[in-house]
Amino acid sequence: GRLTGRVGGFSVGVLNVRTDSERVSAAQATNFLVVRVKRDILRRSTIGALLTGRSVSTHGPGSNQAYGLDGTFAFYDNLDINTYWAQTQTSQRTGDENSYRAQLDYNGDRYGVQAERLVVGHDFNPEVGFLRRDDFERNQGALRFSPRLHSVASVRQLFWEGRFDYITSRAGVLETREAQGRFGIRFENSDEIDFTYTRTYEFLEEPFPIAPAVTIPVDGYRFEDVRASFTLGTQRKLAGTVAAQQGSFFGGNKTGLDFLGGRLELTPQLSIEPGASFNWVDLPNGDFTTELATARTTYTMTPWMFVSALLQYNSSHNSLGANVRFRWEYQPGSELFVVYNEQRDTFIPRLPELENRAFIIKVNRLFRF
């Protein structure tokens, strides 16, 4: 069940989900709750609070809750300050359960400045949601100078940018350090060229299996790479970014070639979004190649109805996946989804083995009062 709306000057959202038990996986019946309250202040700023709860924790007997406060403050046209503080409570985990963030972002046309401090405690555990990384402190800064060039008719703007990222564990052990420099040119036709140089330090506290039969051992690694990309403007019939990358990588070398964000408009109703990524990696413990290819086709029958199909091949997992989705907004805010998913193992190329298949129907009905 989901409820959204306004109460006085507050925006309110409530979501509650109940899942049943399942014997094969030994999953217990679980209730999930999310409550969000937000208030607009000043001209373009907000403050809010969030509460999440899970009746059965994934870390043993007991429940899990997370709650926090956040604020987004916009000043003038280009200055933003983003903040939050959050804490979790898990029956089997006590200690450093806090997380907070403070970020300043000045995004002017000619100059840009960004500074961030982000902390995630060792025991911070929001089980309604996910964490990309835990037990760390991050300090990040970036400076940009992007003048508009009037002396060359074909060039609209130049970009010089420097970025530094420094991540340690809560105990003070350096985990990641990255320094990056970028130079870019934006042309009057919206095409862009970018050159990026990156120096990285990465500490692995446990062995990392990066590919079948290839594992990177525990150590601190320093490497650097250069990346060049060319982006076609979105006004073109075929848009997207072509990028090439070359550099050292965990004691070896890596060469990459990508086509990202591709879009080919065949008709105003029919479009194809291709993408591909190839990486050739040479490490002391072994060599491997990764290939990722995707193609999404979308056909829009009306502004309220479309069908899309996504086909993806991933050589790292020997998988070929397909997703076909039909969406119809039969009245404002109410939708019907019909979805078909299939995934196959391509280890034997001529006879891909079926791994899973699903047919899903979902209906949303909006009640206004």
Side-chain angles (χ1 to χ4, degrees):
R2 181 176 62 184
L3 173 69
T4 60
R6 295 187 67 87
V7 179
F10 294 89
S11 299
V12 179
V14 181
L15 174 69
N16 195 82
V17 177
R18 176 77 176 180
T19 62
D20 203 354
S21 59
E22 201 277 321
R23 289 184 300 172
V24 175
S25 62
Q28 302 180 55
T30 307
N31 196 82
F32 301 84
L33 173 67
V34 179
V35 180
R36 170 66 168 163
V37 179
K38 186 174 68 172
R39 175 69 185 256
D40 295 332
I41 61 172
L42 305 176
R43 294 179 56 191
R44 296 183 297 114
S45 303
T46 64
I47 56 174
L50 180 71
L51 168 68
T52 69
R54 178 174 174 145
S55 63
V56 179
S57 171
T58 61
H59 289 268
S63 60
N64 171 264
Q65 294 83 36
Y67 49 88
L69 304 172
D70 64 275
T72 301
F73 306 96
F75 302 100
Y76 305 103
D77 293 329
N78 303 311
L79 180 61
D80 296 295
I81 298 176
N82 302 310
T83 64
Y84 82 78
W85 169 87
Q87 183 171 348
T88 62
Q89 291 183 345
T90 308
S91 301
Q92 303 300 312
R93 301 180 67 168
T94 58
D96 191 5
E97 297 180 279
N98 295 292
S99 176
Y100 63 86
R101 178 196 190 201
Q103 182 193 48
L104 181 146
D105 188 7
Y106 175 74
N107 191 26
D109 181 70
R110 188 176 179 86
Y111 300 100
V113 178
Q114 188 178 88
E116 181 186 37
R117 165 74 170 171
L118 174 63
V119 173
V120 176
H122 179 270
D123 296 303
F124 184 71
N125 178 42
E127 295 189 22
V128 180
F130 65 96
L131 285 176
R132 290 185 297 176
R133 191 168 188 160
D134 62 0
D135 184 26
F136 74 93
E137 299 181 5
R138 179 186 188 188
N139 295 285
Q140 180 193 18
L143 296 173
R144 172 177 53 81
F145 176 56
S146 50
R148 292 188 177 270
L149 197 65
H150 302 289
S151 58
V152 181
S154 60
V155 176
R156 180 184 304 173
Q157 198 168 14
L158 302 178
F159 295 87
W160 283 273
E161 184 175 354
R163 182 178 299 273
F164 186 74
D165 207 351
Y166 194 84
I167 301 176
T168 68
S169 69
R170 291 287 278 158
V173 177
L174 177 61
E175 295 182 343
T176 301
R177 182 183 63 234
E178 184 175 277
Q180 186 179 89
R182 170 190 171 232
F183 171 69
I185 303 174
R186 180 176 296 163
F187 298 96
E188 283 293 341
N189 61 5
S190 296
D191 294 346
E192 292 189 27
I193 293 178
D194 277 288
F195 301 94
T196 304
Y197 171 72
T198 306
R199 296 188 64 178
T200 304
Y201 170 83
E202 192 76 33
F203 173 71
L204 296 184
E205 62 180 12
E206 58 184 47
F208 175 48
I210 194 171
V214 180
T215 298
I216 302 176
V218 173
D219 205 344
Y221 296 88
R222 291 176 172 84
F223 47 92
E224 56 189 47
D225 67 73
V226 178
R227 184 178 186 268
S229 66
F230 178 70
T231 301
L232 293 166
T234 56
Q235 82 283 359
R236 296 183 180 276
K237 194 175 186 68
L238 174 62
T241 298
V242 179
Q245 184 178 13
Q246 172 65 49
S248 53
F249 185 72
F250 288 105
N253 297 290
K254 173 185 173 183
T255 301
L257 185 62
D258 303 302
F259 179 63
L260 308 170
R263 180 178 174 84
L264 175 62
E265 187 174 297
L266 302 177
T267 71
Q269 290 79 35
L270 179 62
S271 65
I272 300 176
E273 300 174 27
S277 179
F278 304 93
N279 291 284
W280 297 269
V281 182
D282 181 7
L283 297 176
N285 294 338
D287 306 336
F288 63 93
T289 301
T290 66
E291 303 164 357
L292 177 67
T294 64
R296 182 189 298 274
T297 303
T298 303
Y299 180 71
T300 304
M301 288 79 84
T302 73
W304 306 278
M305 182 186 300
F306 73 84
V307 61
S308 67
L310 173 65
L311 187 67
Q312 177 172 287
Y313 167 71
N314 188 338
S315 66
S316 299
H317 300 91
N318 295 314
S319 66
L320 178 65
N323 169 270
V324 181
R325 180 174 60 147
F326 170 79
R327 175 186 177 271
W328 173 35
E329 189 172 358
Y330 56 91
Q331 71 177 43
S334 299
E335 302 163 308
L336 167 67
F337 292 91
V338 181
V339 182
Y340 175 78
N341 292 322
E342 183 175 296
Q343 184 164 329
R344 291 181 176 271
D345 186 344
T346 61
F347 188 74
I348 304 176
R350 295 185 179 181
L351 189 63
E353 181 181 358
L354 179 66
E355 290 188 327
N356 59 70
R357 176 184 289 160
F359 181 75
I360 304 158
I361 297 176
K362 177 182 175 180
V363 180
N364 292 336
R365 180 69 168 90
L366 176 64
F367 298 92
R368 296 183 183 273
F369 56 90

